[in-house]
Amino acid sequence: MSFPSVNPTQTKAWAALTALFENTANTNLQDLFKEDANRAAAYSLQWQDFYVDFSKTHINAAIKEALLDLASEVKLKEAIAAQFTGEHINQTEDRAVLHTALRNFSAMKPEVSEVLAQIKSFTEQVISGAWKGYTGKSITDVVNIGIGGSDLGPDMVVEALRNQRNHLNVRFVSNVEGDHVIESLNGLDPETTLFIIVSKSFTTQETLMNAQTIRKWFLQYTSEENIAKHFIAVSTNIPAVKDFGIDPNNIFTMWDWVGGRFSLWSAVGLSIACAIGYEQYEDLLRGAHEMDQHFANTPFEQNIPVMLALISVWYNNFVGAESEAVIPYTQYLTKLVPYLQQAIMESNGKGVDRNGEVIDYQTGTIVWGSTGTNAQHAFFQLIHQGTKVIPADFIGFKKDQHNQKAHQDALMANFIAQTQALMTGTVGQQVDSPFKVFTGNRPTNTILIDQLSPNSLGKLIALYEHKLFTQGVIWNIFSYDQWGVQLGKVLAKNTLSDIESGHVSETHDGSTQALLQHLSN
Ligand code: F6P
């Protein structure tokens, strides 16, 4: 078996979808409900504790069928099998893509079990207080030093599961900006703080610089031999970690088949396991595994990640939507969107197909958003009355964490009313001013989950991972490399040497030379 490579625009389904868009361009969502009394049931999926309603989109029977044909013509089934069986589907880096293996409790790889056991025993020592700092005190604070996939996933999950957290304070430092590092150290006691340096490559400028600065800060208080009690590293680059001076017993390994933005399931999630305890961390992984099985084994028509991916392809490639919004109705998920931005946009922001040809159709969606109801008082104006089509995912939970019934009822009322307002607008109502008209007909998916927990969060994250992979397969791109981040890194090295030497090289373009000169003036 090999990873398929099909130009989607040359499939029969693509032509059918193009024609369907022309024929249905004026379809109004409300009419779809009038035509089909059963629409809410027909265009929704119930799976475990997830209810996913996509009836408030423009998908009808013919569009759905053509989208499913597209999935089969691009050989999605074969692509999923290729990923799950460890084929080197990340061809440009010649790597397998096996983040699903990190949470596959049905058939765990021995090396994964070993690291999970290491995470368990380490976090139990830290949480119980058995792990002592250099003056014999227990740990109170944990600082994760990392960026991109080595920061966004753990930070998002630790925030999302705040209500499950123990006594440890967990913070994250990522930006190369000195102010960020200094602010992050504010109030920390070196005697009771543990630093986890997370870098898959252990070559990332931001992380290494921040780790060095923090190491120096630490050594203002104590001596080298105490580094072992306070510095831990997670990486694939064991020699570089040792060179940094980390005790070999404090190294957690990961593998090249774990992509950075899919790595919270590996030892990169150590800060999560510190914050919520190993058992709950495992629940997160188990939830993701359940979604993996759903994705790998469910017919596409009932497959939540596949259906959401197909709907997104419809709006992105046929309707011409420029972006999509994600609106979680809980403050716990306040960091979900930045996390998804890396996962989705670093994966699918590609303009060359799997045959190396330049692409002439739209690929990666622009993802943005923030939590409701706050977002209602910020950018919802544009979603309701602006000129752009912005399909939006509304994510909500039936039960809150703190049993605040009145608040939860109000939150859910808004959650549901907004998708209703986006669909119905003021159509059919007397409105006394053109400025107060809502055209409606604006598409949304609703993802309603029983309650936010490690398990349901694991499922939700895995849902978006599989959705983005499905879209990458359809667009015939390599979702698992990220060459687009390299050029800036190289040029930053050149500009840094100019800034440090005070000599502006004439090889730069005029604007860059002028900026460098202004900087030194
Ligand atoms: O931004 C590019 C990137 O390579 C991401 O893919 C990755 O998550 C991040 O940098 C951090 O990389 P590392 O874990 O190797 O420090």
Side-chain angles (χ1 to χ4, degrees), residues 5-53:
S5 172
V6 178
N7 181 335
T9 63
Q10 281 163 20
T11 59
K12 283 194 201 132
W14 195 274
L17 286 161
T18 307
L20 279 165
F21 174 66
E22 279 159 21
N23 296 339
T24 59
N26 296 323
T27 305
N28 196 298
L29 286 174
Q30 287 192 81
D31 294 337
L32 294 176
F33 280 89
K34 281 182 204 140
E35 283 161 22
D36 180 1
N38 200 28
R39 184 170 171 81
Y43 294 88
S44 60
L45 294 169
Q46 175 78 54
W47 171 75
Q48 296 195 4
D49 47 345
F50 278 50
Y51 174 67
V52 179
D53 173 18

Side-chain angles (χ1 to χ4, degrees), residues 147-150 198-202 204 207 260-261 342 346 482 485 489:
I147 197 165
S150 299
V198 185
S199 177
K200 181 181 163 185
S201 60
F202 225 77
T204 303
T207 303
R261 53 196 176 275
Q342 187 204 15
E346 193 165 88
Q482 55 286 316
V485 300
K489 287 187 192 173

Side-chain angles (χ1 to χ4, degrees), residues 93 145-152 198-208 234-236 254 259-263 268 342 346 480-486 489:
E93 295 180 321
I145 310 167
I147 197 165
S150 299
D151 164 72
L152 291 162
V198 185
S199 177
K200 181 181 163 185
S201 60
F202 225 77
T203 58
T204 303
Q205 183 197 38
E206 292 90 337
T207 303
L208 295 190
V234 180
S235 186
T236 54
M254 55 189 292
R261 53 196 176 275
F262 306 95
S263 64
V268 169
Q342 187 204 15
E346 193 165 88
Y480 295 122
D481 60 20
Q482 55 286 316
W483 298 108
V485 300
Q486 293 306 328
K489 287 187 192 173

Side-chain angles (χ1 to χ4, degrees), residues 4-9 11 69-79 354 470 473-476:
S5 172
V6 178
N7 181 335
T9 63
T11 59
D69 287 346
L70 178 63
S72 106
E73 280 190 77
V74 300
K75 302 198 170 78
L76 176 60
K77 211 173 173 21
E78 289 86 333
R354 291 203 286 270
T470 298
V473 171
I474 293 172
W475 292 325
N476 198 27

Side-chain angles (χ1 to χ4, degrees), residues 130-361:
W131 183 285
K132 303 289 185 207
Y134 66 91
T135 54
K137 291 186 187 163
S138 300
I139 298 299
T140 55
D141 292 80
V142 175
V143 181
N144 187 94
I145 310 167
I147 197 165
S150 299
D151 164 72
L152 291 162
D155 192 10
M156 180 269 288
V157 172
V158 167
E159 183 63 29
L161 300 177
R162 177 174 269 279
N163 193 34
Q164 274 80 22
R165 275 164 62 170
N166 51 38
H167 62 285
L168 294 173
N169 299 307
V170 180
R171 40 177 113 173
F172 292 82
V173 52
S174 52
N175 203 329
V176 76
E177 176 198 13
D179 292 343
H180 182 42
V181 187
I182 299 306
E183 290 294 345
S184 310
L185 293 172
N186 221 341
L188 288 179
D189 179 350
E191 295 175 36
T192 58
T193 302
L194 194 67
F195 297 99
I196 309 178
I197 310 170
V198 185
S199 177
K200 181 181 163 185
S201 60
F202 225 77
T203 58
T204 303
Q205 183 197 38
E206 292 90 337
T207 303
L208 295 190
M209 202 176 225
N210 289 344
Q212 288 291 3
T213 301
I214 289 172
R215 191 173 186 274
K216 270 193 214 134
W217 172 86
F218 180 77
L219 291 176
Q220 285 172 354
Y221 300 93
T222 180
S223 53
E224 290 266 348
E225 75 266 17
N226 290 324
I227 294 249
K229 297 191 175 80
H230 293 267
F231 284 77
I232 311 292
V234 180
S235 186
T236 54
N237 188 352
I238 309 304
V241 175
K242 286 186 182 153
D243 282 354
F244 185 89
I246 302 278
D247 185 327
N249 293 323
N250 292 352
I251 303 176
F252 289 74
T253 193
M254 55 189 292
W255 307 274
D256 72 355
W257 42 264
V258 182
R261 53 196 176 275
F262 306 95
S263 64
L264 70 89
W265 322 101
S266 70
V268 169
L270 194 57
S271 55
I272 305 173
C274 285
I276 62 174
Y278 177 80
E279 302 303 330
Q280 304 215 71
Y281 177 64
E282 199 178 294
D283 284 347
L284 176 87
L285 270 54
R286 286 185 185 279
H289 178 51
E290 287 168 51
M291 182 56 82
D292 296 342
Q293 289 178 315
H294 167 78
F295 175 60
N297 303 324
T298 309
F300 292 160
E301 206 177 336
Q302 279 116 45
N303 192 314
I304 296 172
V306 172
M307 283 312 300
L308 290 181
L310 292 175
I311 292 164
S312 173
V313 166
W314 169 253
Y315 283 109
N316 186 59
N317 294 91
F318 301 96
V319 178
E322 291 156 28
S323 70
E324 47 191 52
V326 176
I327 324 286
Y329 272 67
T330 167
Q331 278 311 106
Y332 288 114
L333 291 184
T334 194
K335 295 182 174 174
L336 179 67
V337 171
Y339 165 78
L340 289 178
Q341 285 176 326
Q342 187 204 15
I344 296 170
M345 291 158 78
E346 193 165 88
S347 299
N348 287 342
K350 312 284 165 66
V352 170
D353 74 10
R354 291 203 286 270
N355 300 312
E357 304 289 340
V358 173
I359 284 171
D360 61 0
Y361 46 89

